[in-house]
């Protein structure tokens, strides 16, 4: 056991750690302040005044709504595909040892291990070779590819903690594979899948690198933002959109964290 | 009498490891059967073959006279109590116990009464609403037992079911399992590495070694008449007399077993031995002897061993019927 | 025993399939893996391979059309000074960002792994996880706000009467510039900020695996804290550091948004790829450019694997 004296960190370490955390969070805080500034031409600090006006202006912008709708649609479809692909491959990889198992894991991790631009360019050139016109589905194709790994990682971790004998016990008690999946496997991995799905949704919702290459003329919310960043038109609206994008991804991430944590808690009790 | 389980030349290979190697075995209907052996001896694989979690590489297994080659676990009249109990963590105790009935779409009221009956039987009345994580090890084990018995299997498989319990609880459960088996009258097949457990509960047992059955018989057979050196040394502290020693005593044979309690002090006609050490065990005294450079253990009455000192010469003898000739290991 | 229950029958599609899965486990395995193999193995890997093949084509200088003949001409073009500059610039940036990320992340990871208890542990964990997952573009945008001429950083420096220090730094050739938002220093800070959480988490995971007894043993043997750090803590944290650096390095190598929004007009690999495939329509050169990060990362991953970094992922 460490003495209580020992377990206190040196002040310098503590300061450095807290400063590091602040470095990671203060810039995001700034987004929230700018969303309410009265200044509309520059990024002036401190803001000359605060107003709620831009929330209303943004609310009435059809192009923002259009982009928002596309982003939500793409994120929802990609998440569903990632859930199916990720769960099935996680089940295969964690339940049995087979030739090529390492290859499958590598295949799933590759889309995030390689820089996003490579995935994007590869898909874009494949679309042009195969003469596929850009559509919602070309965006989904790219997003689902890198979302699979998020679901897969969560599912594999949960499968590893779930005892294999549960499946055998269920079969022993008269349940076939499908009944076992429905009554035993699914309830035990549900929170992990939900968490993986949430993270996949957040990842897809704000992805921009692959999307610019697979979207054609369509604009998701991040692409709309990127255009505003490169050629600003109405800065306050961009500020509000930035805040909204942050919040839309923030909520599922936080939920995912609590889901994973609770899952750990429950399975820890069983031991 | 029909057989509950029959193995005919059954082998199971994992890659190149022969986990079960050409086993022939018959388990009678209604008996309490134990599979005893060290870890990796193939006993658990045999159990999993009966349950259907593994399929034999070759050979034929029959359950209640029916070949089960193409029968998956969920259509075998066999249920299992798992080593780690494998209780479903997301279901309550009652839901765990009634799982098999729910799968068979049995009417809810029947399900409830049968679950109550089973929980009564394993003395867990009133625990139905708890989660498995809220139970002690012994209670979980009872739930696993009730869950496996609810579909009234003809054969119950138990995989080291007492391994996780402490000594006192283990002894209690041994008694309980035995009386349960007598009441239900069904076949229990029980896997263990603990010979005491196997002897106190089983009607018959098979001793496994390296994927094969080293000996099949009643506990008495195996304890007093081990067929080979593996069984003799695995089952208790039997002395194994080597060929050399036997020959030096003028006996023909490959090897023989001799139980420590069968060796007596006999200062008139005995064979000369040297006392290496002795330890006091209460009513008896354990002597460690050396004859012809080979060690033997003897268990003698306190009175007999009282005056002996280390390095003394001792003369010992045994009845010729106590010496059991053995075959080479299988 | 009042009544016996019937065993489930083998009628119906589900039951038949289930029986098949039991008799032939590889059928189940194949069924589970097939969707992922079709999607990732065929669509994704297929696209990657098609892209790589195109890097062996070349572009006709007069017509601007792609000549479908295998050649190494495009790769030779990578070696032209302008293109070589882009590669060196990107790799230098990725290296400096990675080193800086190690330095900034270490105290956070070390404190979180060894000292934070109870509520603070949660604060640190969530405090690193949220920025990791939250919107990339919003984070970049926040830095555009910070680094703007009329923005918060200049305001703070002016209040502290430190404007001269910033001017001094900006006057350094190469890394300086007219203002932070158009200089390499600005680009560097945004990269560091955006990828920092990717370094903290694996590092923290590695440090959490160092038993306290190691540190105590070292202290008991009379080692000075600095010695304990360099001879015990650092080597044990190394797999985590390498795992984190895979992210910071790879992500910097391929990024083309950050240098476009904050930085000088000189190109990075990502931007070069983007512009060659887009307006220039020179897919072969774009493809050859993507091979650079792939090769660098392949070497990096091979090295990381040898150091056991994958256990820390």
């Amino acid at each position: 056991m460490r003495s209580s004296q020992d377990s206190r960190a040196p002040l310098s370490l503590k300061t450095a750690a807290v400063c590091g955390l602040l470095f990671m969070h203060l810039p995001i805080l700034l987004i929230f302040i700018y969303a309410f500034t009265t200044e509309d031409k520059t990024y002036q600090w401190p803001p000359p005044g605060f107003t709620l006006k831009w929330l209303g202006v943004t609310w009435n912008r059809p192009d923002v709504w259009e982009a928002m709708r596309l982003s939500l649609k793409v994120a929802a479809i990609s998440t569903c595909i990632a859930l199916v692909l990720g769960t099935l491959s996680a089940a295969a990889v964690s339940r049995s040892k087979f030739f090529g198992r390492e290859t499958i894991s590598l295949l799933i991790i590759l889309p995030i291990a390689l820089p996003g631009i490579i995935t994007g360019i590869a898909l874009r050139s494949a679309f042009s070779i195969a003469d596929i016109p850009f559509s919602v589905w070309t965006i989904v194709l790219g997003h689902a590819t890198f979302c699979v790994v998020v679901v897969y990682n969560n599912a594999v971790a949960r499968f590893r903690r779930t005892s294999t004998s549960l499946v055998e016990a269920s079969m022993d008690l008269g349940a076939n594979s499908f009944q076992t999946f429905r009554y035993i496997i699914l309830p035990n991995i549900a929170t992990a899948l939900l968490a993986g799905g949430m993270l996949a949704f957040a990842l897809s919702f704000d992805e921009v690198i692959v999307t610019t290459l697979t979207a054609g003329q369509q604009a998701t919310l991040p692409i709309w933002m990127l255009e505003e960043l490169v050629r600003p038109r109405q800065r306050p609206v961009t500020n509000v959109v930035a805040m909204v994008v942050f919040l839309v991804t923030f909520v599922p991430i936080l939920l995912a964290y609590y889901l994973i944590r609770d899952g750990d808690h429950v399975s820890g009790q069983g031991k | 009498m029909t057989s509950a389980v029959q193995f005919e030349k059954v082998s199971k290979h994992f890659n190149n490891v022969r986990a079960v190697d050409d086993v022939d075995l018959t388990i009678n209907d209604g008996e309490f059967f134990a599979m005893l052996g060290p870890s990796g001896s193939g006993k658990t694989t045999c159990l999993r073959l009966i349950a259907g979690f593994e399929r034999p590489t070759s050979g034929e297994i029959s359950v209640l006279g029916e070949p089960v080659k193409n029968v998956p676990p969920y259509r075998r009249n066999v249920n299992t109590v798992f080593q780690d109990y494998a209780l479903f963590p997301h279901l309550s105790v009652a839901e765990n116990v009634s799982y098999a009935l729910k799968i068979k779409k049995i009417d809810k009221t029947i399900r409830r009464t049968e679950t109550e009956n089973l929980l009564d039987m394993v003395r867990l009345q009133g625990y139905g609403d708890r989660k498995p994580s809220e139970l002690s090890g012994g209670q979980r084990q009872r739930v696993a037992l009730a869950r496996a018995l609810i579909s009234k299997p003809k054969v119950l498989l138990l995989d080291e079911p007492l391994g996780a319990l402490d000594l006192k609880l283990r002894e209690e459960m041994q008694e309980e399992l035995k009386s349960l088996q007598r009441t239900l009258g069904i076949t229990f097949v029980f896997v263990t590495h603990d010979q005491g457990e196997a002897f106190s509960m089983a009607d018959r047992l098979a001793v496994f070694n390296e994927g094969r059955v080293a000996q099949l018989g009643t506990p008495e057979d195996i304890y007093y008449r081990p067929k080979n050196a593996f069984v003799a040394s695995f089952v208790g502290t039997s002395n194994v007399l080597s060929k050399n020693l036997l020959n030096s005593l003028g006996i023909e044979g490959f090897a023989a077993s001799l139980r420590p309690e069968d060796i007596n002090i006999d200062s008139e006609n005995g064979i000369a031995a040297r006392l290496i050490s002795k330890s006091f065990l209460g009513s008896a005294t354990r002597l460690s002897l050396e004859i012809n450079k080979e060690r033997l253990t003897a268990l003698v009455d306190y009175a007999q061993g009282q005056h002996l000192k280390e390095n003394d010469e001792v003369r010992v003898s045994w009845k010729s019927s106590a010496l059991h000739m053995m075959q080479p290991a299988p | 025993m009042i009544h016996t229950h019937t065993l489930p029958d083998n009628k119906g599609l589900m039951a038949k399939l289930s029986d098949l899965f039991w008799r032939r486990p590889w059928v189940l395995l194949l069924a589970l893996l097939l969707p992922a193999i079709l999607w990732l193995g065929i669509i994704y890997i297929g696209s990657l391979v098609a892209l790589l093949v195109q890097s062996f084509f070349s572009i006709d200088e007069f017509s601007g059309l792609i000549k479908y003949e295998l050649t190494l001409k495009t790769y030779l073009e990578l070696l032209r000074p302008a293109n070589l500059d882009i590669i060196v610039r990107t790799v230098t940036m990725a290296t400096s960002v990675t080193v800086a990320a190690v330095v900034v992340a270490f105290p956070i990871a070390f404190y979180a792994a060894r000292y934070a208890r109870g509520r603070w542990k949660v604060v640190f964990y969530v405090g690193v996880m949220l920025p990791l997952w939250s919107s990339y573009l919003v984070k970049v945008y926040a830095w555009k706000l910070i680094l703007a001429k009329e923005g918060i950083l200049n305001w703070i420096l002016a209040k502290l009467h430190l404007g001269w220090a910033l001017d001094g730094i900006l006057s350094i050739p190469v890394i300086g510039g007219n203002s932070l938002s158009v200089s390499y220093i600005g680009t560097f800070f945004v990269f560091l900020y955006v990828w920092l959480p990717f370094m903290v988490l694996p590092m923290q995971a590695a440090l959490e695996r160092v038993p306290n007894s190691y540190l105590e043993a070292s202290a008991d043997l009379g080692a000075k804290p600095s010695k304990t750090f360099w001879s015990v803590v650092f080597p044990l944290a190394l797999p985590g550091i390498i795992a984190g650096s895979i992210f910071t390095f790879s992500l910097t190598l391929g990024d083309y948004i950050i240098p476009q929004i904050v930085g000088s007009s000189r190109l990075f690999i990502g931007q070069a790829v983007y512009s060659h495939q887009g307006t220039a329509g020179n897919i072969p050169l774009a493809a050859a450019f993507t091979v650079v990060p792939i090769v660098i990362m392949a070497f990096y991953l091979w090295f990381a694997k040898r150091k056991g970094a994958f256990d820390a992922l």
Side-chain angles (χ1 to χ4, degrees), chain A residues 8-170:
Chain A
R8 219 164 287 154
L11 190 66
S12 54
L13 176 67
K14 204 168 180 173
T15 318
V18 170
C19 284
L21 266 194
L22 289 179
F23 174 65
M24 285 197 272
H25 288 271
L26 288 183
I28 293 172
L29 208 64
L30 220 56
I31 294 283
F32 282 80
I33 298 170
Y34 271 96
F36 301 100
T37 183
T38 48
E39 170 62 47
D40 63 351
K41 290 285 180 295
T42 67
Y43 298 126
Q44 191 195 342
W45 182 271
F50 292 100
T51 172
L52 293 174
K53 175 181 143 200
W54 302 114
L55 295 183
V57 172
T58 311
W59 184 267
N60 291 318
R61 285 279 293 263
D63 55 335
V64 173
W65 279 111
E66 192 59 37
M68 177 86 157
R69 213 168 293 133
L70 181 62
S71 279
L72 288 175
K73 193 167 159 187
V74 167
I77 302 173
S78 307
T79 303
C80 291
I81 295 173
L83 276 173
V84 174
L85 295 184
T87 311
L88 293 184
S89 8
V93 166
S94 53
R95 287 275 173 224
S96 52
K97 290 188 167 62
F98 56 90
F99 180 75
R101 191 165 152 230
E102 301 276 306
T103 316
I104 296 284
S105 322
L106 185 68
L107 190 64
I108 290 167
I109 291 166
L110 204 59
I112 57 156
L114 286 179
I117 186 152
I118 296 180
T119 307
I121 295 277
L123 289 175
R124 188 194 181 106
S125 80
F127 294 151
S128 93
I129 292 169
D131 244 344
I132 299 170
F134 292 113
S135 69
V136 177
W137 294 99
T138 54
I139 307 179
V140 166
L141 208 67
H143 283 204
T145 302
F146 57 74
C147 284
V148 172
V149 65
V150 182
V151 176
Y152 171 84
N153 275 349
N154 274 285
V156 161
R158 181 63 57 88
F159 273 127
R160 262 186 210 145
R161 282 202 314 263
T162 315
S163 152
T164 12
S165 54
L166 292 187
V167 171
E168 284 173 355
S170 168

Side-chain angles (χ1 to χ4, degrees), chain B residues 52 55 69-76 101 104 106 114 152 184, chain C residues 1-10 15 18-19 22-24:
Chain B
R55 303 187 72 210
K69 188 171 196 156
N70 291 318
V71 183
Y74 45 89
R75 264 190 273 110
R76 293 191 185 189
L101 302 186
K104 284 171 199 156
I106 303 286
E114 293 219 4
K152 305 179 169 63
L184 296 173
Chain C
M1 301 292 122
I2 307 155
H3 55 263
T4 51
H5 305 301
T6 50
L7 289 168
D9 59 23
N10 56 352
S18 186
D19 286 13
W22 176 75
R23 274 203 310 278
R24 306 256 181 277

Side-chain angles (χ1 to χ4, degrees), chain B residues 21-36:
Chain B
D21 192 6
D22 206 24
V23 165
D24 283 298
L25 185 66
T26 301
I27 299 170
N28 298 325
D29 201 8
E31 79 178 333
F32 201 128
F33 191 86
M35 296 184 180
L36 175 67

Side-chain angles (χ1 to χ4, degrees), chain B residues 193-242:
Chain B
H193 65 272
D194 182 326
Q195 43 114 350
E197 219 167 85
F199 285 161
S200 70
M201 286 193 284
D203 299 322
R204 283 197 315 145
L205 62 144
V207 184
F208 278 78
N209 182 34
E210 294 181 341
R212 289 162 171 266
V213 177
Q215 189 173 354
L216 178 70
T218 62
E220 288 78 11
D221 281 342
I222 289 183
Y223 190 76
Y224 288 109
R225 290 174 289 281
K227 255 166 68 182
N228 49 54
F230 172 78
V231 177
S233 64
F234 185 73
V235 177
T237 54
S238 204
N239 293 302
V240 176
L241 280 63
S242 72

Side-chain angles (χ1 to χ4, degrees), chain A residues 1-2 6-10 13-14 16-21 23-28 30-31 34 41-46 81 84-85 87-89 91-93 96-98 102 104 107-108 110-119 121-126 128-129 140-142 144-146 148 150 171 174-178 199-200 202-203 206 208-210 212-213 221-223 225-226 229-230 232 235-236 238-239 241-243 245-246 249-250 253-254 256-258 261, chain C residues 8 13-15 17-19 21-22 28-29 31-37 39-41 43-51 54 104 106-112 114-115 117 120-131 133-146 148 150-153 155-156 189 192-193 195-197 200 212 215-216 246-247 250-251 253-257 260-261 269-271 273-274 277-278 283 286-287 290-291 293-294 297 301 305:
Chain A
M1 286 300 285
R2 297 147 69 100
D6 239 350
S7 66
R8 219 164 287 154
L13 176 67
K14 204 168 180 173
V18 170
C19 284
L21 266 194
F23 174 65
M24 285 197 272
H25 288 271
L26 288 183
I28 293 172
L30 220 56
I31 294 283
Y34 271 96
K41 290 285 180 295
T42 67
Y43 298 126
Q44 191 195 342
W45 182 271
I81 295 173
V84 174
L85 295 184
T87 311
L88 293 184
S89 8
V93 166
S96 52
K97 290 188 167 62
F98 56 90
E102 301 276 306
I104 296 284
L107 190 64
I108 290 167
L110 204 59
I112 57 156
L114 286 179
I117 186 152
I118 296 180
T119 307
I121 295 277
L123 289 175
R124 188 194 181 106
S125 80
S128 93
I129 292 169
V140 166
L141 208 67
T145 302
F146 57 74
V148 172
V150 182
M171 303 268 259
N176 65 29
S177 311
F178 297 96
L199 293 177
L203 197 62
D206 84 273
V208 63
I209 291 190
V210 177
T212 44
L213 292 161
L221 208 51
I223 288 186
M225 250 187 90
L226 184 62
L229 279 175
V230 179
R235 287 182 179 179
T238 316
N239 293 339
V241 169
M243 182 176 75
V245 170
F246 179 80
T249 50
F250 179 85
I253 294 162
L254 209 58
Y257 167 71
Y258 281 103
R261 211 185 52 156
Chain C
L13 181 67
M14 294 285 202
L17 262 179
S18 186
D19 286 13
F21 290 159
W22 176 75
L28 174 61
L29 198 61
L32 292 175
L33 287 174
L34 206 60
I37 289 175
W39 189 287
L40 294 169
I43 300 181
Y44 179 60
I45 297 293
S47 309
L48 276 182
V49 170
L51 180 71
Q54 293 189 68
V104 179
F106 200 90
I108 307 174
F110 193 67
Y111 187 86
R114 310 221 59 91
Y115 294 104
R117 293 284 171 270
W120 274 104
K121 190 120 197 153
V122 177
V123 167
F124 266 88
Y125 188 75
V126 177
V128 176
M129 211 191 66
L130 280 181
W133 285 98
S134 60
S135 175
Y136 161 84
L137 206 55
V138 172
K139 284 186 283 192
V140 178
Y141 185 59
W143 277 86
K144 182 136 178 131
L145 301 177
I146 293 171
E150 68 279 12
I152 187 169
L153 190 66
W155 178 79
I156 291 173
F189 270 110
L192 174 64
Y193 172 75
W195 308 142
L196 185 61
V200 179
N212 275 328
L215 307 183
E216 279 159 26
I246 292 172
F247 290 113
S250 161
L251 290 168
L253 277 187
D255 196 280
Y256 68 97
I257 304 270
Q260 185 187 350
I261 293 173
I269 291 179
Q271 288 167 288
V273 174
Y274 190 73
Q277 67 81 34
I283 297 268
T290 60
V291 172
I294 293 179
M297 286 318 296
L301 290 174
K305 193 168 179 145

